[in-house]
Amino acid sequence: MSDIINNQRRLDPQDSLVVLSGCGTSGRLAFFMASGFNRELQRLNYAPVCSYVIAGGDRALFSSQEAPEDDPTLGALCLKKVSEGKKRVLFVGVSCGLSAPFVAGQLDFCLRHPDVYIPVLVGFNPAHQARKEPIPGCTLTFHSVVTRMEELAKTQKAFLINPALGPEAISGSSRMKGGSATKILLEVVFSASFSRTGILQHMRSYEKALDFTYSHSEEIAALMEAAGRSLQCGRQVCYLGWGSLGLLGLIDASECKPTFGADIRGFVSGGYKELGNNEGDLTLMGPEFSISHDDFLDGVLPRLTDADTVLLLYSHSGETSAPSRSGRLRTESACVLTAFVFSSRQREFSTKLLLNAVSTGAHIFKGKVFKNYMIDLQVTNSKLYRRAARLLQKLSGHSESECEEALLKAIYQVDKLSEDIATCSLETHTHTAAKAKKVVPLALVCLLTGCSMKEVESRLEQQPIIREAVETCLKSS
Ligand code: F1P
């Protein structure tokens, strides 16, 4: 694959393109790396040839837009649009769980146009564990696409990079191990296509950064605790970053809502100018799209108290300059996070590990994780719906059908399912779930106690720490 990237950049940039694509964190990393690779190409006097596609468009860079992840036709259309007029396209689709229909649609499109597209799939499950669930409205499954890719991989007309990583530390949280592995893999392949340094040597540099980062576990734990204390008392955690480390802050923050049902906010110096995203300035789309330091200074800083935590993300190297306006920050409310490691890629990697640890740890302190499961996840696409139903089975011991029934009752806030609801499509369920709150905890407590929706709602109100509410119910059930 390194050779192919190497060839792509030698070709006329008018004709050739490298597209990185994915959903959620995988799409955000696709954006992050496509921008980084282009910067690198320009530094070396080559034309930028990388582009990105994220399910749900640029608004998905900072907010959860899981519904488009279910749409294979949309995936194919977005790929077609971004590669219009190109003669040679290397397409890299990332789906950590080998599961996103959006990516399946893109790979299928590549397989149907082999004269133009070379498809690459990156994920972290064995091929036989690719998702087999039928995709509504089409004949594909992710698994069927993987099988076709495997066949073509034998003659290097397609590539499958899917080392099995083992389970995530927090179940289902592919933003962590899966996201980090995506970053390592693609950066190593990209770097190897330029330098004489071998793949193994590149990999070793990440290993060093990993060891270095985790050798600072006490400092990381202190940051986790500070952030956890802020979230526990309903205060804020903000990442205030510069350059690519600031972008990683935005990415980590945007994952917190769908994963934990809670917020951490990120801000980056230069805002959308620094980002250089496809759709430009999105500030007008709503408060969560205000991402510049000016937005932080105007909207957040005046209301900060000692109970809030602000993490400054910058490095001392030339490319990410030190915070010039932090003088307006009260230092006692700021934790300064710096990664004094090696190259800029390793600094980014180290920062990603730190942020993942801090945000996950903080949410554990807040009681959003129960027995390594995120129990307040959003149920906004088919994968998350199935995940929620499996989680309910695991934690309640009830049957599959009872759990799905409880999930639907929680989504529609009813004690009895009408014929209408029961016959609605999965898409309607996940669309409705986007407007509901605490769906999984509600369903779980209903299952464990047999109480009505109203009673459960008031129980959860009295005990807002979800883990404790569930523990209490489990003890008394
Ligand atoms: C894509 C993704 C995850 C997110 C959540 C929903 O997963 O958006 O990034 O954390 O689990 O799905 P994948 O296609 O990379 O497995």
Side-chain angles (χ1 to χ4, degrees):
M1 196 178 136
S2 296
D3 293 342
I4 298 176
I5 295 184
N6 206 350
N7 284 340
Q8 292 292 109
R9 74 180 162 87
R10 281 170 208 278
L11 289 173
D12 183 345
Q14 297 289 346
D15 293 337
S16 66
L17 189 68
V18 176
V19 180
L20 309 183
S21 180
C23 309
T25 297
S26 302
R28 293 175 194 126
L29 287 170
F31 156 72
F32 182 87
M33 285 184 280
S35 319
F37 296 164
N38 279 342
R39 267 197 303 276
E40 185 86 1
L41 284 166
Q42 280 167 315
R43 196 179 60 80
L44 298 167
N45 283 329
Y46 290 107
V49 290
C50 297
S51 225
Y52 70 93
V53 174
I54 177 166
D58 277 2
R59 57 164 55 217
L61 292 173
F62 323 110
S63 67
S64 56
Q65 306 287 329
E66 280 101 358
E69 300 185 10
D70 275 344
D71 192 340
T73 314
L74 181 65
L77 276 176
C78 294
L79 173 59
K80 191 169 170 224
K81 190 167 166 220
V82 75
S83 51
E84 204 82 75
K86 302 291 177 190
K87 296 200 175 99
R88 223 50 205 128
V89 178
L90 179 71
F91 171 74
V92 184
V94 185
S95 180
C96 291
L98 301 186
S99 61
F102 185 87
V103 175
Q106 295 174 316
L107 292 168
D108 172 66
F109 180 77
C110 295
L111 293 171
R112 286 188 290 111
H113 299 89
D115 46 323
V116 176
Y117 295 90
I118 304 173
V120 181
L121 169 60
V122 175
F124 304 101
N125 268 335
H128 70 270
Q129 279 181 14
R131 191 174 176 191
K132 299 190 180 80
E133 187 184 338
I135 302 173
C138 87
T139 52
L140 303 173
T141 65
F142 206 101
H143 186 263
S144 70
V145 174
V146 169
T147 309
R148 283 155 67 204
M149 295 270 302
E150 277 184 304
E151 200 43 46
L152 285 178
K154 290 179 189 155
T155 48
Q156 302 220 324
K157 292 196 176 103
F159 295 84
L160 193 55
I161 312 180
N162 61 325
L165 290 181
E168 292 283 350
I170 301 287
S171 166
S173 202
S174 54
R175 72 199 192 96
M176 297 198 287
K177 261 203 224 173
S180 300
T182 303
K183 185 164 154 51
I184 296 173
L185 267 177
L186 294 181
E187 286 176 356
V188 164
V189 169
F190 187 83
S191 305
S193 73
F194 280 96
S195 65
R196 287 171 194 279
T197 322
I199 290 213
L200 196 60
Q201 227 169 316
H202 283 292
M203 297 286 271
R204 287 256 148 78
S205 68
Y206 286 88
E207 195 180 2
K208 269 198 210 155
L210 182 113
D211 292 343
F212 175 85
T213 308
Y214 289 143
S215 70
H216 288 70
S217 52
E218 277 183 24
E219 289 96 319
I220 298 175
L223 282 175
M224 267 183 194
E225 255 187 88
R229 267 197 306 272
S230 296
L231 290 189
Q232 257 174 338
C233 63
R235 297 301 309 181
Q236 293 204 48
V237 175
C238 292
Y239 301 147
L240 192 60
W242 282 258
S244 63
L245 304 190
L247 290 186
L248 285 168
L250 284 177
I251 293 179
D252 187 83
S254 58
E255 262 297 318
C256 292
K257 204 162 195 166
T259 311
F260 301 108
D263 255 339
I264 290 186
R265 285 192 69 184
F267 299 90
V268 65
S269 166
Y272 289 94
K273 279 200 203 93
E274 171 70 33
L275 242 59
N277 53 317
N278 289 340
E279 295 168 34
D281 196 327
L282 308 179
T283 315
L284 293 178
M285 284 188 172
E288 59 196 322
F289 298 98
S290 298
I291 56 157
S292 72
H293 281 196
D294 285 339
D295 295 322
F296 172 83
L297 294 172
D298 296 341
V300 179
L301 187 63
R303 283 194 291 277
L304 279 188
T305 70
D306 289 350
D308 297 293
T309 302
V310 180
L311 267 69
L312 303 186
L313 309 172
Y314 66 96
S315 85
H316 288 295
S317 80
E319 86 261 22
T320 307
S321 59
S324 54
R325 297 178 74 181
S326 63
R328 282 180 62 189
L329 253 187
R330 291 165 50 198
T331 45
E332 65 271 24
S333 62
C335 289
V336 178
L337 174 71
T338 49
F340 296 101
V341 279
F342 327 106
S343 74
S344 75
R345 293 268 160 75
Q346 291 159 323
R347 261 195 301 275
E348 288 170 7
F349 178 54
S350 177
T351 302
K352 180 179 184 302
L353 296 176
L354 278 161
L355 293 175
N356 287 167
V358 169
S359 57
T360 305
H363 284 102
I364 292 173
F365 276 108
K366 197 179 171 173
K368 291 283 184 179
V369 172
F370 175 69
K371 291 190 176 169
N372 271 8
Y373 295 102
M374 303 163 296
I375 35 177
D376 200 6
L377 70 149
Q378 284 185 185
V379 189
T380 36
N381 68 24
S382 59
K383 177 178 85 171
L384 298 170
Y385 180 90
R386 301 271 175 242
R387 184 183 289 170
R390 279 199 306 275
L391 185 59
L392 289 173
Q393 259 182 279
K394 183 127 202 147
L395 297 179
S396 73
H398 282 62
S399 70
E400 194 180 338
S401 60
E402 284 169 328
C403 290
E404 192 160 349
E405 196 182 320
L407 185 60
L408 288 176
K409 285 181 185 167
I411 291 175
Y412 290 92
Q413 311 264 302
V414 292
D415 286 314
K416 208 169 165 358
L417 288 184
S418 67
E419 186 66 27
D420 268 4
I421 294 178
T423 51
C424 276
S425 67
L426 186 54
E427 198 186 341
T428 311
H429 298 329
T430 52
H431 187 77
T432 312
K435 289 170 250 154
K437 278 202 174 126
K438 295 193 180 161
V439 169
V440 181
L442 270 173
L444 182 59
V445 177
C446 271
L447 278 167
L448 292 173
T449 60
C451 292
S452 72
M453 213 37 83
K454 278 263 162 311
E455 281 170 73
V456 173
E457 264 177 39
S458 82
R459 266 194 190 214
L460 288 180
E461 254 163 49
Q462 284 159 25
Q463 180 50 283
I465 301 179
I466 304 278
R467 182 181 54 225
E468 287 175 13
V470 173
E471 270 166 356
T472 315
C473 290
L474 277 173
K475 270 188 216 133
S476 58
S477 70

